[in-house]
Amino acid sequence: MGEAIKNRYDFVVLFDVENGNPNGDPDAGNMPRIDPETGYGLVTDVCLKRKIRNYVETLKEDTTGYKIYIKDNVPLNRSDLGAFQSLGIDEKEIKNLKKTDPMLDVKVRDFMCQNFYDIRTFGAVMTTFVKANLNCGQVRGPVQMGFAKSVDPILPQEITITRVAITTEEDATKKGTEMGRKYIVPYGLYRVEGYVSANLARKVTGFSEEDLELLWKAILNMFENDHAAARGKMAVRKLIIFKHDSELGNAPSYKLFESVKVARKPGVDLARAFSDYEVTLPEQLPEGVTCTCME
C-alpha cells in the first residue's frame, strides 16, 4: 500500500436511470424509493457502496490488498478469523495477549485495513473483534456518502408483465400464462454527495492515493458491469471533485456542494434525458480549493 492521502476531498456524483428501478424498497413491494412528502426519488448510500465494491472486486479479483470484506455468500466471521490465523492469534487467549501486547488492537485493525479495500475506504463493523473485546471492531472509514436524491420529483410506474412459463403442473391445467409486476422510473437524474477525509486516512485506515484513483474509477463505472433488466439503463453522468490543499480542508463542504447547480433547461417541462438538464460549476472557488469534472 502507498502512503496515505494528504488532501481532503468533497465530491458530487450525478447519475441517471431510464425505465428502471434504481433502488427498490422492500417495505413497499420493491417500488423505487421515494420521499412521500416531496416525491423526490431516493437511492441509499448502502446501494451505491455495493456497486463500488462490486466493481473493485470485478477489476481486482481478490488481488492482495484489494479483497472485499462485505460480499455475497461470505460470512464476515470467516474473514475475521482469517486475520487471527494470519497474525498467529488464539481467539481464546486474547485477554492474556492484550496484557503482554498493548498494540494487539492496532495490529488486527491494520491487517484488516491493509487486506480489504472496502474497510480501508468505507470502514466496517467487525463483530468477531467486538465480541472479543478488541477496540478495533469498529473502523470509521475516510470515505462517506449520503443518500442520493433525484433532481426533480419522480413518478414511479407499475408495469404489468406476463410469462408463458407456468410454475406447477397443477397450474398448467388451469392457465396458459402468469402475471407479474415491474416498477420503473421513466427517467430520473439523481445527485449524491460524498466526502474523503485525509485525517482519517492517515490516522486509521491508510487510504492511499492509489486507493483514491481506484475510488474515482469505480464511481464512474459502478453501473457498467452491474446491468440488470430491473434496473433499466443506468449511467454515471458526471463526477465533480473538489480538492483541498490541506488535510482538514479550506472551505465548508456545504458551500462547495451548493456551488454545483443542476436544473432543467429553459423550456423543458418534463425531463426525459440527461440532455434536458444543465449543470453549472462554480466560476470562483475558495482559496486552496480546486475543482475537476470527470465524465
Side-chain angles (χ1 to χ4, degrees), residues 51 55 216-226 236:
K51 310 302 182 193
Y55 179 81
W216 301 145
K217 186 175 182 180
I219 289 174
L220 287 168
N221 294 281
M222 61 181 171
F223 301 119
E224 291 305 307
N225 294 284
D226 194 59
V236 172

Side-chain angles (χ1 to χ4, degrees), residues 40-91:
Y40 286 96
L42 300 173
V43 174
T44 65
D45 60 321
V46 175
C47 173
L48 298 175
K49 288 177 182 177
R50 178 76 270 153
K51 310 302 182 193
I52 293 171
R53 286 185 172 100
N54 288 348
Y55 179 81
V56 172
E57 184 178 13
T58 300
L59 182 68
K60 294 296 185 178
E61 295 185 340
D62 282 341
T63 303
T64 302
Y66 293 95
K67 294 180 180 179
I68 297 300
Y69 182 66
I70 299 176
K71 60 193 296 186
D72 293 338
N73 302 317
V74 178
L76 301 181
N77 286 353
R78 186 185 303 171
S79 300
D80 297 340
L81 294 175
F84 285 150
Q85 294 171 358
S86 298
L87 295 172
I89 296 173
D90 184 347
E91 187 180 1

Side-chain angles (χ1 to χ4, degrees), residues 226-237:
D226 194 59
H227 298 294
R231 284 189 286 276
K233 179 182 175 184
M234 296 189 68
V236 172
R237 295 295 186 168

Side-chain angles (χ1 to χ4, degrees), residues 4 27 36 52 57 88 114 136 168 170 194 199 220 264:
D27 288 330
I52 293 171
E57 184 178 13
Q114 290 167 7
C136 62
T168 66
E170 182 180 356
N199 187 258
L220 287 168
R264 292 193 305 274

Side-chain angles (χ1 to χ4, degrees), residues 131 137 176 206 218 221 244 283:
K131 291 178 181 178
N221 294 281
H244 302 253
E283 295 181 0

Side-chain angles (χ1 to χ4, degrees), residues 195-226:
Y195 318 83
V196 183
S197 169
N199 187 258
L200 286 174
R202 174 175 61 84
K203 290 183 176 179
V204 182
T205 72
F207 185 78
S208 67
E209 292 291 341
E210 292 82 359
D211 294 329
L212 183 68
E213 290 303 315
L214 179 56
L215 174 68
W216 301 145
K217 186 175 182 180
I219 289 174
L220 287 168
N221 294 281
M222 61 181 171
F223 301 119
E224 291 305 307
N225 294 284
D226 194 59

Side-chain angles (χ1 to χ4, degrees), residues 146-210:
F147 277 29
K149 187 174 79 170
S150 62
V151 175
D152 288 316
I154 63 170
L155 185 62
Q157 295 182 7
E158 181 181 8
I159 307 297
T160 302
I161 58 175
T162 62
R163 69 174 186 179
V164 296
I166 308 303
T167 304
T168 66
E169 292 287 348
E170 182 180 356
D171 287 344
T173 63
K174 301 177 182 178
K175 55 186 177 181
T177 60
E178 289 190 339
M179 308 292 288
R181 293 183 180 88
K182 289 184 71 171
Y183 297 103
I184 66 166
V185 176
Y187 182 80
L189 178 63
Y190 289 76
R191 170 178 176 152
V192 62
E193 296 158 353
Y195 318 83
V196 183
S197 169
N199 187 258
L200 286 174
R202 174 175 61 84
K203 290 183 176 179
V204 182
T205 72
F207 185 78
S208 67
E209 292 291 341
E210 292 82 359

